[in-house]
Amino acid sequence: MYSSEQTRHLQDLSKSLLLRAAQSSLAEKELVPLRQVLVFHEYRYYILNDPLITDPEYDSLYKWLEKLESAHPASITPDSPTQRVAKGLTKNFPAVHHLVPMLSLENSYNADDLMDWDRKARELTGLAGIEYCVEPKFDGASISLIYENDLLVRGATRGDGVEGDDITSNIKQIRSVPLSAAFSGYGIEQVEIRGEVLINKENFKKFNARLAEQQLPPLANPRNAASGSLHMKDPVEVSRRNLEAFLYHISYYSNAEGLDISRGETAGTDKAHAAKSKKTPVTHSDSLNMLWNLGFRSPQKEKKLFRNIQEVIDYCLDFESRRDQLPYEIDGMVIKVNDFALQDKMGMTTHHPRWAIAFKFKARQATSKLIKVEFQVGRTGSITPVAKIEPVPIGGVTVGSVSLFNEDVVRSKDLKLGDSVLVERAGDVIPYIVKSLPDLRTGKEKKIVFPTHCPACGDELVRTEDEAVLRCININCPAQVVERIIHFVSKDAMDIRSFGAANVMKFYELGFLKDVPGIYSLPFDQIATLEGFGEKSIDNLRTAIEASKKQPLHRVIFALGIRYVGETTAKTLAKAVGYLPDFKDFSEEQLLALEDIGPKVAGSILQFFENPDNRKMLAKLEALGVNLRSTRSDKTATGNLTGLSFLFTGTLHELKRSDAEELVEKNGGKIMSGVSSKLSYLVVGEDAGSKLEKAKKIPAIKILTEKEFLRFIGSAT
Ligand code: AMP
Ligand code: ZN
């Protein structure tokens, strides 16, 4: 898409615009170059996944564009990066006709199926061998896009294949979908292209973590998350979900002479083929290259051409074996006849084209039986139903226990004890029950009865009106105490390594540990008599506990496990207070004035500090030496290094490597594992080797000595 010369030019242009932005000397005439470099950097980030500037740098240029555009509204272009942001809510998604119906794919499940298909394809065409293009089958939601005169004018869901929903405003939130693309360079005026919208695994996890923080049930899998997102009324929320799109098919285009050319799925296009301009692709593989060159994320690198079906099969199986390592979910591969003329000759059925077939990977679903439901007590007293099922292997793991989240989920899925159920486990997603299979019922199934009293302490459970969750409100409930301690020592909280859930439970059962402060007065002499606790492991535990006393305040706040207070809120709170117990004097207004704190969160914080038991616990912790005061790192916890990445090489003298890395992370920076153009700073110690050589070749990377790094950190914190 961009030649290396263009890349260098745009990078230089960015740097000079950034400099002028810092001096506030940008003016109307910079509108065009600003847009140009922002589109370029979006491409580097969202398509190549290889940014050349930092997020704050991008943001600063973007803000300038917004500022200049609002001063000169007449000069706003429809494909300006600012035009992705839709204002207000979408009222409805009108039905629209696809230019060419979106068909399904024929499925195959094993090597034999593919050999049969290849044989039929050769018979049908009378050819001895056919060239196939093989690419991943993306597991998301299909979309169709229309560009006219190089501008994105419509985005639609698949719907029933003939008509879909117009979701243009949501499609514009997907940054890997260009708002404009130079189809005119190929003589194309109007074009319809197809693809798949997905959420990558990492963003899906983050999204579910956010839901968990709000005590909402997680979304089942990335596919549901993607398709659900496309129908949301609030485009801002859509944008937060970080959707991505792969585009893999051109279904229709018309050229400047007004000729309509349907690709692949309608008959009688010979004439059209003849009329095509020289540059338009004549094979599927070329069309993927064309889309890639126009700035789309097509499976250009993932696709591969073969003439031999055995090689096709091997490639499919190879992808299947690497499935879990891919950043996004795929549920198979698609094999397509590469030559368009041949595709047209083969035609299609009413259901699917004859020139393509899907090779489906082994299902990560299995049927099992729901044996019983256990009720677990969480750290905030929430009662979670957990289904015990007959153990079944799914995707290489045996699943015997599946969370059901809450009563609403159980009822909406119509689950009964003794039911046959369909269980799914996708990649690193936690297993879940897709549905019950009521047709297999014998009549002996029983209703799942929720307890009225806590299974751990026997207290009566409550259910507040706005919640789907049952709760034990006895704060001395043993199950909750154990969960609270487990949370307190966990990695993202006080990070007391070598403690762990198993030790917490063991110490609790033996009466060595009764509450959170008890962590700091463990009877080590008694622990030493336990099996598996040698001198060394006790030493490690003691050192880790001692070290945790100095954790920054935001970790302490997060560790307390106050409802609705996740890591981000904990950081906000640590910045707002000098001494933790002072929160008892905070008013609701004061809390609401803080970033991202709403009434629900504020209420929960007030409640926590009003409770005399909690205040006593804080006093105990402090008496035992735990830090309750904010430190410098709390003030900068979200970080002056946000958006910057670091890598250390060679021997450092002033700092240990691990301490240096921690310093970076504490200040919001990222540690990279290797040299790439994503790296902002390489810090070189003595005897730096190949990393330094490699970094010198990438102009975007700045190289610092250890001294310079320390000065840099000092001024940043
Ligand atoms: P199915 O829904 O099982 O009939 O499979 C057909 C669907 O697979 C299409 O409608 C597309 O949404 C989707 N799909 C995902 N990746 C591809 C791809 N590379 N080529 C064609 N279709 C794909
Ligand atoms: Zn209880």
Side-chain angles (χ1 to χ4, degrees), residues 83-94 143-145 152-157 165-177 179 197-198 225-245:
Q83 298 309 295
R84 289 191 187 272
V85 187
K87 291 166 191 77
L89 300 182
T90 314
K91 280 193 204 62
N92 54 0
F93 302 105
I143 50 159
S144 113
L145 307 177
L152 172 68
V153 295
R154 191 182 92 182
T157 60
D165 296 333
D166 185 334
I167 49 158
T168 312
S169 55
N170 285 347
I171 290 289
K172 286 187 179 169
Q173 307 312 314
I174 307 173
R175 309 280 207 110
S176 49
V177 172
L179 296 181
V197 169
L198 33 92
S227 63
S229 303
L230 290 182
H231 276 109
M232 286 196 318
K233 302 252 181 231
D234 182 1
V236 176
E237 181 54 31
V238 179
S239 139
R240 274 199 204 117
R241 295 192 171 193
N242 295 314
L243 301 172
E244 299 175 21

Side-chain angles (χ1 to χ4, degrees), residues 119-166:
R119 195 173 317 115
K120 269 189 273 163
R122 282 183 288 117
E123 272 168 27
L124 198 66
T125 56
L127 294 170
I130 297 176
E131 185 174 54
Y132 298 120
C133 184
V134 186
E135 67 203 38
K137 183 169 188 296
F138 303 100
D139 194 9
S142 30
I143 50 159
S144 113
L145 307 177
I146 296 181
Y147 286 79
E148 276 170 13
N149 302 317
D150 293 349
L151 280 183
L152 172 68
V153 295
R154 191 182 92 182
T157 60
R158 171 185 167 141
D160 62 7
V162 177
E163 269 186 357
D165 296 333
D166 185 334

Side-chain angles (χ1 to χ4, degrees), residues 347-366:
M348 54 182 182
T349 71
T350 50
H351 172 261
H352 59 257
R354 285 198 196 89
W355 46 263
I357 190 164
F359 176 82
K360 299 277 256 190
F361 290 162
K362 271 178 215 73
R364 296 213 260 197
Q365 290 189 336

Side-chain angles (χ1 to χ4, degrees), residues 91-110:
K91 280 193 204 62
N92 54 0
F93 302 105
V96 287
H97 240 81
H98 297 303
L99 300 185
V100 175
M102 292 173 85
L103 296 184
S104 225
L105 286 171
E106 185 178 355
N107 283 331
S108 69
Y109 299 92
N110 52 45

Side-chain angles (χ1 to χ4, degrees), residues 579-614:
Y579 177 54
L580 184 57
D582 288 349
F583 270 123
K584 69 175 191 310
D585 303 324
F586 268 55
S587 66
E588 186 177 5
E589 290 70 46
Q590 273 174 298
L591 288 173
L592 289 174
L594 301 175
E595 204 180 324
D596 278 341
I597 293 190
K600 204 160 79 168
V601 187
S604 165
I605 296 167
L606 290 175
Q607 210 180 15
F608 183 90
F609 286 95
E610 270 160 20
N611 184 328
D613 287 338
N614 289 333

Side-chain angles (χ1 to χ4, degrees), residues 377 454-459 461 472 474 477-478 480:
V377 189
C454 175
C457 70
D459 267 23
L461 299 175
C472 164
N474 168 14
C477 170
Q480 291 179 52

